[in-house]
Amino acid sequence: MARRPLIAANWKMNKTIAEARGFCEQLLPDVEELGPDGAEVVVCPPYLALPLVAQLCEGSDVGVAAQNMYFEDSGAFTGEVSAAMLLDAGADGVVLGHSERRQLFGETDGGLAKKVPAALAAGLLPILCVGESEGERERGETEEVLRRQVEADLAEVADEALGGIVIAYEPIWAIGTGKTATAEQANDASAFIRSLVAARNTEAGDLIRIQYGGSVKPANAAELLGQSDIDGALVGGASLDPEDFAAIVTAA
Ligand code: PEP
């Protein structure tokens, strides 16, 4: 089954609106040159820059995703943003459960179990992040952690809808550290995640795209993206520079 790789730029809390414009003006011609046979590309700006990025990317092959959302439609939830608001602002997808949100902002599997179906119901592509800490890997608990996260976070998604989401395997010890999982470690973890989805629905196991994230750079992208079970990358640091990010898209 040929799965189109998805390369996503997670800007985190970086770039003003003007900087976001400059990035898009540089990136869009490079992506256009690669044509529709290349990887699918998504930019995940901070909320404030999202409407402008969506406007600049309209009609191009580049999609836009937010970095978080709340599962309720509206109401007294100060500081939160709903799926409908993201759609209205021009988003096509949303990153959910990034390890920084889990570690720094108290994101739980219980909350994610509501966020993933809410995103799907609204027509947003959920990019669900899962991954183990360094200690968990050293203790041999990687598969246990991945199983717990995948099972809990996708508990409320119908089996036949699982193929329509994206999972980013992001070992926490590799995020923003310059340490990258070996291609074998990343592929093994991705294959394991795929097997968890396939156990619920065989077709969804074939369809679901599993990205790798953790210090992906132009220099290591081709090897990681060449693995059989890795269908793209969620890129943090290297996605802030349009040239580096375009090089990763080209590698895919
Ligand atoms: C990320 O933010 O999801 C990420 C993988 O960051 P970095 O590429 O900087 O490790």
Side-chain angles (χ1 to χ4, degrees):
M1 147 70 54
R3 294 176 293 264
R4 189 179 183 201
L6 174 66
I7 309 296
N10 177 19
W11 289 353
K12 313 193 185 195
M13 196 175 74
N14 291 291
K15 294 197 189 294
T16 61
I17 292 172
E19 288 165 347
R21 177 188 291 282
F23 178 99
C24 292
E25 285 171 356
Q26 220 183 310
L27 179 74
L28 288 170
D30 289 344
V31 173
E32 187 142 343
E33 216 170 281
L34 291 171
D37 295 335
E40 188 178 339
V41 180
V42 168
V43 176
C44 314
Y47 291 131
L48 291 177
L50 194 148
L52 175 74
V53 172
Q55 197 185 320
L56 294 172
C57 293
E58 206 175 328
S60 80
D61 244 356
V62 177
V64 184
Q67 299 173 18
N68 186 26
M69 58 161 240
Y70 195 52
F71 54 80
E72 294 284 2
D73 292 338
S74 62
F77 305 106
T78 302
E80 293 294 331
V81 166
S82 72
M85 290 170 185
L86 294 181
L87 276 179
D88 184 48
D92 309 292
V94 59
V95 176
L96 295 172
H98 191 281
S99 61
E100 286 151 17
R101 296 226 55 89
R102 291 178 190 258
Q103 290 190 310
L104 304 175
F105 302 102
E107 182 81 88
T108 63
D109 288 321
L112 289 164
K114 295 180 183 162
K115 289 184 177 190
V116 178
L120 278 172
L124 289 169
L125 174 72
I127 301 176
L128 172 70
C129 303
V130 296
E132 81 288 359
S133 67
E134 191 154 35
E136 288 163 340
R137 176 161 282 269
E138 281 167 2
R139 291 193 297 276
E141 294 168 6
T142 299
E143 292 195 351
E144 188 186 323
V145 171
L146 295 177
R147 178 188 296 278
R148 188 175 66 232
Q149 292 178 334
V150 169
E151 286 183 354
D153 300 351
L154 301 181
E156 301 301 324
V157 178
D159 293 349
E160 56 282 3
L162 290 169
I165 70 168
V166 172
I167 296 181
Y169 167 60
E170 297 213 307
I172 298 169
W173 48 272
I175 297 178
T177 58
K179 284 188 204 172
T180 314
T182 65
E184 194 186 355
Q185 286 172 325
N187 199 51
D188 286 352
S190 300
F192 178 71
I193 292 168
R194 191 179 305 289
S195 76
L196 296 173
V197 174
R200 286 184 53 185
N201 183 289
T202 313
E203 197 189 348
D206 274 345
L207 285 174
I208 193 168
R209 289 183 292 178
I210 301 177
Q211 299 175 304
Y212 167 75
S215 300
V216 175
K217 297 182 175 51
N220 59 25
E223 193 191 359
L224 288 159
L225 294 167
Q227 302 304 307
S228 57
D229 278 291
I230 299 180
D231 310 312
L234 182 53
V235 187
S239 78
L240 296 175
D241 178 321
E243 252 179 63
D244 281 353
F245 185 62
I248 293 168
V249 174
T250 305

